[in-house]
Amino acid sequence: MLPEAYAEKVAGGELRDDAAQASLITRLSSLAEALETREQRGAIGKFLGKNGTPKGIYIYGDVGRGKTMLMDLFFASLNVQAKQRIHFHAFMQDIHKRRQALREGDVVTQVAKDLAKRAQVLCLDEIQISDIADAMIVGRLFQALIANGVVIVTTSNQPPNQLYRDGLNRDLFLPAIKLMETNFELISLAGPTDYRLGRVKAWESFVTPLGAKADAQSQKIWERLTDVPKGESGEIPVLGRNLHVPERAHGCARFSFTELCEAPLGPPDYLALAANFQTLFVEDIPALKISQRNEAKRFVLLIDTLYDAKRHLVASSAEAPERIYPSGDQRFEFARTVSRLQEMQSAAWWGQKIVET
Ligand SMILES: Nc1ncnc2c1ncn2[C@@H]1O[C@H](COP(=O)(O)OP(=O)(O)OP(=O)(O)O)[C@@H](O)[C@H]1O
Ligand SMILES: [Mg+2]
């Protein structure tokens, strides 16, 4: 039973008692009961039609709140045969592959029917829509799955109405949002604690000098904040075009100084980064020459944007902030950046609540 499984982990010291999590456990637990009852009724359940299919649950909230952990606990303790737990990206890749194999007819409905035979409960981790191909079919796919009795439990950093924000042809995605809002119980997991953040000490977030030691340190912080050794590459929309993100995972994005400040990026790019990520890794910041005024300007703009949005910064740099650009015609603007970089290394900065942009 789910509440007992959670209580056991708290009692054993593996988890800290968290009121927001406990209340989600109660909701997940009633869903588990409904699903187990449905399974016990077996064939009869099939004739219950719409009313026999409980609503799914859509859990959303900031990174590190325990969404995935709780969904996994729900999945593990759920006494239902036909269940599947999969990452949303992997799920969509599989869907696109199956669609291509079928090619003709109402392929989405056909794919949903096949899936429903294997899984009557589908746990999808990390819904995030950044791809137009996903945006265009996810609504129809969910609808067809629900029609076939599949109950979906999912996690996301955003509520449905914020998915695919600023995406191409977003209008066509609106019915999918409506569908999720009608068919899922939307639950925000909004506890105050980012359990991953507790693993980073503020003072280690700005690493100097560059070299193997700095790389290892940066990698260590990346793993503490994301729980994965390497993120996925992807794109974020910026004013009708896309900005390439070399590595992203769990609200973190990882770039080199070259990619962010030597490439011709501007204010909309930096704003989009701040809007999409809570923590930005900027690696290999060199000591800037007097002639590198454009790089210095971009770096100032980048740090200002992250500072205003109260984002976290993890950086590796050849020099301490005050020695990155000590002379040159941008040095006065840079002085403010130095002060901000120092503040961004404080425990208070890392401890504050992230604001929405
Ligand atoms: N109550 C808790 N006590 C201690 N550790 C916890 C607690 N809840 C979650 N954690 C741990 O914090 C880490 C982050 O949790 P989890 O991966 O579930 O977060 P999430 O909300 O899914 O984040 P994201 O949005 O980035 O996917 C995990 O290692 C998890 O085991
Ligand atoms: Mg998660």
Side-chain angles (χ1 to χ4, degrees), residues 67-68 125-126 155 196 250:
K67 299 178 296 296
T68 300
D125 196 26
E126 284 185 48
T155 79
R196 290 200 201 95
H250 297 284

Side-chain angles (χ1 to χ4, degrees), residues 137-158:
I137 68 161
V138 81
R140 276 189 298 141
L141 178 66
F142 281 3
Q143 187 161 37
L145 285 169
I146 293 165
N148 282 282
V150 178
V151 174
I152 298 169
V153 175
T154 186
T155 79
S156 179
N157 291 128
Q158 288 127 356

